[in-house]
Amino acid sequence: MRTKSKWSPGPGIKVQSVISSEQGDWVVSACGPESGICPDCRHQSRSRHGWSYRRLQDLPIQGNAVTVKLQLRRWRCTYRQCRRQTFTDRVPAIASPYARRTTRVAEMVGLLGHSTGGRPGERLMRRLGMSISDDTILRHLKRNAARIDDDPPARIVGIDDWSWRKSWRYGTIIADLERRKVLDILEDRSVVSVARWLKQHPSIEVVSRDRCGLYAQAAREGAPQASQVADRFHLMQNLRLAVEEQMSLSGRAAGRALLPDGNIEIDHDDRATRNQLPERSRRNQLRRAHQQSRKDVFKTVHALSTEGLS
Ligand SMILES: [Zn+2]
């Protein structure tokens, strides 16, 4: 199918055709401007030297892939004092130089890559009609991280695990918490690499990290001048675990409400003694209390069910 298009790719660029294949994919063919501006001397040229072609992945149409085929001219710079002999049209409104996808697709890759990671991002983008490998998504993130303007230098950073491949290979992600930008992604999760990175960034004043001793050690070695703080997520996780532990020891409040007093074997008032128990026996006691509590709830539910309650 061939249609007349109102697709506007950018100044000076003309759409020649929009074709839909039998598989439903779309190909937009467009041609570059009639004259070029030399990137060095900024003089206009109409002296054509040849052609160059670019193939860009664009946003999908109703889930179907869209490819933009750009025919661009290569120009001679005719300004005598300019050292550059030839140059190719640039299309900043559509894509960066050498990019294989349009700027708007690149933005989507960045957004999804940040929020989901490599593999889930790949699956999601394929479902949306944009086929991009997980490696490309991660490369894109890393390239963007390298481009972050380091002026003024970062002061407050967050450090956490980064999954290259879930349950298989982990790296480290470092983010500027003030600017909400990824600063770097390290290949591995080790004290050495994180400490080395921190040493290269002496401006760091605060390191927000998880509860893992690894990043604490790295921050001590690499940024002794910085304060270490636990990030909000891990504080909430701490709180949740503490509450769970307390609930288990107390016979789980929800279950106990159903049970007559005395069904729990743990002595609830003996907290002082319990806190003095060795860690292993304390864990065993917790486990037994938890099992007993579940059994009691199970029995009570069955008893109530036998009496005809829902
Ligand atoms: Zn020039």
Side-chain angles (χ1 to χ4, degrees), residues 168-230:
W168 191 260
R169 191 158 78 90
Y170 285 91
T172 300
I173 186 165
I174 302 173
D176 183 328
L177 297 183
E178 285 183 297
R179 278 176 278 189
R180 295 175 171 269
K181 296 270 172 72
V182 177
L183 287 173
D184 210 345
I185 294 168
L186 309 182
E187 284 292 326
D188 62 356
R189 179 170 58 171
S190 73
V191 173
V192 176
S193 62
V194 177
R196 191 188 309 130
W197 190 94
L198 288 169
K199 274 181 193 160
Q200 288 163 357
H201 297 79
S203 59
I204 306 296
E205 294 170 21
V206 177
V207 175
S208 173
R209 57 167 177 81
D210 63 4
R211 303 176 307 153
C212 165
L214 188 151
Y215 293 136
Q217 181 62 27
R220 275 196 296 275
E221 288 181 15
Q225 77 286 357
S227 313
Q228 293 189 34
V229 297

Side-chain angles (χ1 to χ4, degrees), residues 48-160:
R48 199 182 74 216
H49 179 262
W51 294 95
S52 78
Y53 300 89
R54 287 183 72 181
R55 200 183 164 86
L56 300 165
Q57 181 182 24
D58 199 13
L59 290 179
I61 296 175
Q62 294 187 331
N64 294 314
V66 174
T67 304
V68 179
K69 282 186 181 173
L70 274 179
Q71 187 183 22
L72 300 169
R73 293 171 177 87
R74 189 154 186 86
W75 305 99
R76 289 186 194 90
C77 182
T78 48
Y79 186 56
R80 284 190 180 177
Q81 290 170 19
C82 182
R83 284 185 182 179
R84 185 181 284 272
Q85 294 185 328
T86 62
F87 62 92
T88 309
D89 281 325
R90 301 214 170 167
V91 283
I94 304 177
S96 329
Y98 310 109
R100 293 170 64 186
R101 43 197 61 86
T102 57
T103 305
R104 48 197 183 186
V105 173
E107 283 170 5
M108 292 286 288
V109 174
L111 280 173
L112 284 173
H114 269 301
S115 42
T116 63
R119 294 229 158 174
E122 178 189 350
R123 283 196 292 274
L124 199 53
M125 295 208 69
R126 194 187 307 132
R127 190 73 193 268
L128 292 170
M130 290 175 280
S131 195
I132 292 173
S133 74
D134 58 336
D135 284 342
T136 305
I137 293 174
L138 297 177
R139 253 199 324 275
H140 180 92
L141 284 182
K142 203 156 183 186
R143 206 168 39 231
N144 272 12
R147 272 188 211 143
I148 298 294
D149 180 13
D150 201 29
D151 188 27
R155 294 185 316 122
I156 302 173
V157 295
I159 299 181
D160 207 351

Side-chain angles (χ1 to χ4, degrees), residues 241-253 256 264-277 279 281-293:
L241 287 176
V243 168
E244 271 177 12
E245 185 178 313
Q246 198 57 39
M247 295 281 277
S248 298
L249 282 169
S250 310
R252 306 212 314 177
R256 270 190 82 210
I264 308 274
E265 284 177 356
I266 292 266
D267 180 4
H268 301 291
D269 298 325
D270 195 16
R271 284 171 198 201
T273 318
R274 192 182 60 226
N275 287 337
Q276 288 163 10
L277 288 173
E279 185 61 27
S281 60
R282 193 158 162 256
R283 274 207 302 272
N284 287 339
Q285 196 185 29
L286 263 175
R287 198 179 305 123
R288 279 199 302 278
H290 188 69
Q291 282 169 353
Q292 187 58 41
S293 168

